[in-house]
Amino acid sequence: MLKNLGPLGIGGVVILLVGIALIAYESLLVAAGIALVLAGLGLVVKALVSGVLRQFGMV
């Protein structure tokens, strides 16, 4: 998976994880909520991109 992201994507994932860890240091419940929201958003974006690629016959 990491080879598909490229250096910019890997940097983004690292920043995302550090941000959640920083929030978790203060409030574990809020950090868990933010992590769930981000995971859901990622699934929605993946589904949208897959649908668009399928429409163009690329998948």
Side-chain angles (χ1 to χ4, degrees):
M1 179 185 100
L2 293 178
K3 65 181 176 182
N4 293 337
L5 287 177
L8 190 60
I10 293 171
V13 168
V14 168
I15 290 173
L16 181 82
L17 291 176
V18 169
I20 291 176
L22 186 64
I23 294 169
Y25 179 73
E26 189 64 35
S27 173
L28 193 58
L29 188 61
V30 173
I34 290 174
L36 286 173
V37 167
L38 289 173
L41 183 62
L43 290 174
V44 168
V45 169
K46 183 181 182 320
L48 288 174
V49 169
S50 295
V52 168
L53 289 176
R54 195 174 307 117
Q55 280 183 337
F56 289 116
M58 296 180 156
V59 176

XYZ file of all heavy atoms in Angstrom:
410
model
N 0.819 -1.190 0.000
C 0.000 0.000 0.000
C 0.865 1.257 0.000
O 0.551 2.219 -0.671
C -0.922 -0.009 1.215
C -1.787 1.225 1.295
S -2.774 1.293 2.779
C -1.813 2.407 3.745
N 1.946 1.246 0.762
C 2.765 2.451 0.883
C 3.435 2.835 -0.427
O 3.640 4.020 -0.688
C 3.812 2.268 1.988
C 3.257 2.173 3.402
C 4.389 1.943 4.388
C 2.479 3.414 3.772
N 3.778 1.853 -1.285
C 4.417 2.194 -2.549
C 3.442 2.909 -3.495
O 3.859 3.643 -4.372
C 5.009 0.957 -3.206
C 3.999 -0.072 -3.632
C 4.682 -1.267 -4.245
C 3.644 -2.328 -4.564
N 4.220 -3.516 -5.113
N 2.139 2.705 -3.303
C 1.143 3.379 -4.136
C 0.909 4.826 -3.707
O 0.438 5.623 -4.502
C -0.184 2.622 -4.091
C -0.084 1.263 -4.743
O 0.769 1.027 -5.567
N -0.947 0.362 -4.345
N 1.227 5.154 -2.469
C 0.982 6.506 -1.968
C 2.020 7.512 -2.445
O 1.699 8.658 -2.698
C 0.970 6.501 -0.437
C -0.236 5.882 0.233
C -0.040 5.897 1.731
C -1.497 6.597 -0.142
N 3.253 7.092 -2.529
C 4.323 8.015 -2.873
C 4.775 8.775 -1.638
O 4.179 8.670 -0.560
N 5.823 9.560 -1.783
C 6.380 10.253 -0.614
C 5.422 11.275 0.003
O 5.364 11.422 1.220
C 7.631 10.932 -1.144
C 7.641 10.755 -2.605
C 6.604 9.767 -2.980
N 4.677 11.966 -0.817
C 3.742 12.964 -0.292
C 2.611 12.299 0.488
O 2.216 12.771 1.554
C 3.174 13.800 -1.437
C 2.383 15.029 -1.049
C 3.259 15.992 -0.255
C 1.846 15.713 -2.281
N 2.110 11.196 -0.012
C 1.054 10.461 0.684
C 1.530 9.875 1.999
O 0.812 9.892 2.998
N 2.757 9.346 2.001
C 3.313 8.793 3.233
C 3.489 9.900 4.269
O 3.182 9.720 5.448
C 4.644 8.071 2.947
C 4.376 6.825 2.103
C 5.346 7.689 4.240
C 5.619 6.150 1.584
N 3.960 11.056 3.821
C 4.085 12.199 4.731
C 2.742 12.612 5.301
O 2.625 12.942 6.484
N 1.710 12.581 4.477
C 0.375 12.911 4.947
C -0.136 11.945 5.988
O -0.751 12.344 6.976
N 0.121 10.654 5.781
C -0.306 9.642 6.749
C 0.432 9.839 8.071
O -0.170 9.746 9.149
C -0.081 8.217 6.190
C -0.248 7.172 7.270
C -1.020 7.955 5.033
N 1.725 10.142 7.998
C 2.509 10.361 9.220
C 1.976 11.574 9.981
O 1.787 11.520 11.203
C 4.007 10.529 8.883
C 4.796 11.040 10.077
C 4.584 9.220 8.390
N 1.706 12.656 9.271
C 1.168 13.860 9.923
C -0.193 13.567 10.537
O -0.500 14.007 11.646
C 1.095 15.026 8.922
C 2.506 15.488 8.581
C 0.269 16.184 9.479
C 2.559 16.510 7.475
N -1.016 12.800 9.842
C -2.332 12.425 10.352
C -2.209 11.626 11.642
O -2.895 11.908 12.633
C -3.066 11.606 9.292
C -4.461 11.150 9.638
C -5.432 12.271 9.388
C -4.819 9.950 8.810
N -1.310 10.647 11.666
C -1.140 9.823 12.861
C -0.563 10.620 14.024
O -0.977 10.442 15.175
C -0.250 8.622 12.543
C -0.860 7.583 11.610
C 0.153 6.495 11.285
C -2.122 6.999 12.190
N 0.373 11.522 13.732
C 0.931 12.363 14.795
C -0.144 13.284 15.363
O -0.224 13.501 16.576
C 2.144 13.165 14.271
C 2.575 14.226 15.254
C 3.299 12.227 13.969
N -0.990 13.812 14.503
C -2.069 14.674 14.968
C -3.052 13.942 15.867
O -3.454 14.448 16.915
N -3.418 12.730 15.479
C -4.336 11.939 16.311
C -3.666 11.582 17.632
O -4.309 11.601 18.691
C -4.821 10.694 15.554
C -5.746 11.114 14.413
C -5.555 9.737 16.481
C -6.209 9.989 13.539
N -2.372 11.257 17.596
C -1.652 10.941 18.836
C -1.596 12.150 19.762
O -1.734 12.017 20.980
C -0.245 10.459 18.515
N -1.416 13.330 19.193
C -1.381 14.550 19.996
C -2.737 14.808 20.652
O -2.809 15.175 21.833
C -0.984 15.735 19.111
C -0.755 17.064 19.788
C 0.425 16.962 20.741
C -0.479 18.132 18.748
N -3.802 14.583 19.916
C -5.142 14.747 20.486
C -5.400 13.676 21.544
O -5.977 13.949 22.597
C -6.204 14.696 19.374
C -6.058 15.905 18.451
C -7.607 14.670 19.961
C -6.866 15.819 17.192
N -4.943 12.438 21.276
C -5.149 11.347 22.229
C -4.404 11.603 23.534
O -4.839 11.145 24.595
C -4.696 10.029 21.624
N -3.305 12.315 23.466
C -2.568 12.660 24.674
C -3.442 13.490 25.612
O -3.381 13.359 26.824
C -1.299 13.434 24.297
C -0.473 13.873 25.470
C 0.270 12.945 26.183
C -0.447 15.205 25.865
C 1.030 13.338 27.267
C 0.309 15.605 26.945
C 1.047 14.666 27.646
O 1.793 15.064 28.711
N -4.292 14.321 25.024
C -5.174 15.178 25.818
C -6.499 14.483 26.131
O -6.975 14.511 27.249
C -5.424 16.490 25.065
C -6.133 17.544 25.852
C -5.331 18.020 27.055
O -4.094 18.087 26.978
O -5.974 18.302 28.075
N -7.117 13.862 25.119
C -8.430 13.244 25.309
C -8.557 12.022 24.398
O -8.637 12.162 23.180
C -9.541 14.244 24.992
O -10.791 13.600 25.024
N -8.575 10.863 24.996
C -8.638 9.622 24.233
C -9.964 9.468 23.494
O -9.996 9.003 22.355
C -8.416 8.439 25.176
C -8.145 7.098 24.533
C -6.929 7.164 23.639
C -7.975 6.040 25.593
N -11.056 9.888 24.099
C -12.373 9.743 23.481
C -12.504 10.623 22.242
O -13.009 10.186 21.203
C -13.466 10.087 24.500
C -14.891 9.817 24.075
C -15.080 8.336 23.792
C -15.851 10.267 25.139
N -12.024 11.846 22.321
C -12.082 12.750 21.164
C -11.205 12.208 20.039
O -11.592 12.245 18.864
C -11.657 14.174 21.566
C -11.545 15.068 20.359
C -12.639 14.752 22.568
N -10.026 11.703 20.380
C -9.130 11.144 19.367
C -9.762 9.942 18.673
O -9.627 9.775 17.457
C -7.810 10.756 19.996
N -10.448 9.095 19.414
C -11.118 7.941 18.815
C -12.216 8.397 17.852
O -12.369 7.833 16.769
C -11.711 7.057 19.905
N -12.953 9.419 18.226
C -13.989 9.953 17.343
C -13.417 10.524 16.064
O -13.931 10.283 14.969
N -12.332 11.270 16.187
C -11.693 11.847 14.998
C -11.145 10.743 14.104
O -11.256 10.807 12.873
C -10.589 12.838 15.416
C -11.217 14.078 16.037
C -9.718 13.220 14.230
C -10.224 15.050 16.619
N -10.552 9.705 14.697
C -10.028 8.590 13.910
C -11.147 7.881 13.149
O -10.980 7.518 11.976
C -9.291 7.617 14.815
N -12.298 7.698 13.786
C -13.427 7.059 13.106
C -13.956 7.924 11.963
O -14.295 7.408 10.892
C -14.549 6.764 14.102
C -14.298 5.599 15.044
C -15.409 5.530 16.087
C -14.189 4.305 14.281
N -14.025 9.222 12.175
C -14.480 10.128 11.116
C -13.526 10.076 9.931
O -13.955 10.012 8.772
C -14.623 11.569 11.657
C -14.785 12.559 10.531
C -15.789 11.657 12.619
N -12.228 10.084 10.191
C -11.251 10.037 9.108
C -11.302 8.705 8.363
O -11.168 8.669 7.135
C -9.848 10.287 9.655
C -9.586 11.721 10.107
C -8.229 11.814 10.783
C -9.666 12.678 8.938
N -11.496 7.610 9.088
C -11.613 6.302 8.437
C -12.849 6.251 7.548
O -12.795 5.757 6.415
C -11.658 5.202 9.483
N -13.954 6.769 8.029
C -15.176 6.814 7.222
C -15.020 7.686 5.998
O -15.462 7.333 4.898
N -14.369 8.817 6.157
C -14.125 9.710 5.029
C -13.241 9.037 3.990
O -13.484 9.155 2.784
C -13.485 11.005 5.520
C -13.228 12.084 4.480
C -14.537 12.552 3.866
C -12.493 13.247 5.112
N -12.240 8.308 4.452
C -11.374 7.580 3.526
C -12.142 6.539 2.733
O -11.915 6.369 1.526
N -13.053 5.829 3.377
C -13.863 4.827 2.678
C -14.781 5.474 1.645
O -14.963 4.945 0.544
C -14.683 4.020 3.676
C -13.891 3.060 4.556
C -14.808 2.444 5.604
C -13.225 1.988 3.725
N -15.351 6.612 1.982
C -16.229 7.318 1.037
C -15.434 7.785 -0.176
O -15.868 7.616 -1.326
C -16.926 8.509 1.733
C -17.607 9.411 0.719
C -17.938 8.002 2.749
N -14.266 8.353 0.043
C -13.430 8.825 -1.071
C -13.007 7.656 -1.949
O -13.037 7.753 -3.173
C -12.201 9.596 -0.530
C -11.190 9.849 -1.626
C -12.643 10.906 0.097
N -12.632 6.539 -1.336
C -12.233 5.357 -2.114
C -13.395 4.865 -2.970
O -13.216 4.521 -4.138
C -11.760 4.250 -1.181
C -11.265 3.012 -1.914
C -10.838 1.942 -0.943
C -10.295 0.709 -1.591
N -10.903 0.218 -2.765
N -14.592 4.842 -2.412
C -15.764 4.401 -3.172
C -16.067 5.352 -4.326
O -16.402 4.915 -5.430
C -16.970 4.287 -2.251
N -15.935 6.659 -4.083
C -16.185 7.630 -5.153
C -15.175 7.494 -6.282
O -15.539 7.511 -7.467
C -16.155 9.054 -4.584
C -17.342 9.459 -3.723
C -17.095 10.827 -3.106
C -18.614 9.474 -4.541
N -13.905 7.360 -5.936
C -12.867 7.223 -6.957
C -13.057 5.927 -7.736
O -12.935 5.915 -8.964
C -11.463 7.296 -6.312
C -10.386 6.893 -7.298
C -11.200 8.690 -5.782
N -13.383 4.850 -7.055
C -13.622 3.578 -7.742
C -14.806 3.687 -8.699
O -14.764 3.161 -9.812
C -13.881 2.468 -6.727
O -12.741 2.238 -5.953
N -15.857 4.366 -8.269
C -17.023 4.547 -9.139
C -16.706 5.357 -10.376
O -17.140 5.022 -11.487
N -15.933 6.410 -10.221
C -15.561 7.243 -11.370
C -14.675 6.455 -12.326
O -14.864 6.502 -13.547
C -14.865 8.538 -10.889
C -14.220 9.270 -12.054
C -15.857 9.438 -10.187
N -13.716 5.731 -11.789
C -12.839 4.932 -12.646
C -13.623 3.843 -13.366
O -13.343 3.537 -14.532
C -11.717 4.306 -11.822
C -10.648 5.274 -11.305
C -9.644 4.545 -10.432
C -9.946 5.974 -12.434
N -14.617 3.260 -12.699
C -15.440 2.224 -13.331
C -16.259 2.816 -14.480
O -16.460 2.185 -15.514
C -16.357 1.587 -12.290
C -16.977 0.289 -12.750
C -17.769 -0.428 -11.660
N -17.001 -0.636 -10.455
C -17.309 -0.105 -9.256
N -18.391 0.633 -9.140
N -16.573 -0.344 -8.204
N -16.736 4.062 -14.314
C -17.511 4.696 -15.373
C -16.682 4.921 -16.621
O -17.188 4.858 -17.746
C -18.066 6.036 -14.891
C -19.286 5.921 -14.037
C -19.831 7.294 -13.653
O -19.115 8.276 -13.650
N -21.115 7.335 -13.348
N -15.410 5.212 -16.447
C -14.530 5.428 -17.569
C -13.910 4.137 -18.088
O -13.088 4.155 -18.991
C -13.421 6.424 -17.209
C -13.922 7.836 -17.062
C -13.859 8.469 -15.841
C -14.454 8.517 -18.139
C -14.324 9.761 -15.683
C -14.917 9.811 -18.002
C -14.851 10.437 -16.770
N -14.272 3.013 -17.494
C -13.789 1.726 -17.944
C -12.350 1.443 -17.574
O -11.682 0.654 -18.244
N -11.856 2.071 -16.550
C -10.465 1.891 -16.165
C -10.275 0.784 -15.133
O -9.149 0.443 -14.803
C -9.904 3.191 -15.599
C -9.860 4.310 -16.615
S -9.194 5.762 -15.858
C -8.572 6.608 -17.273
N -11.357 0.262 -14.601
C -11.237 -0.805 -13.594
C -11.909 -2.055 -14.119
O -12.892 -2.061 -14.742
C -11.875 -0.377 -12.251
C -11.828 -1.512 -11.249
C -11.153 0.826 -11.718
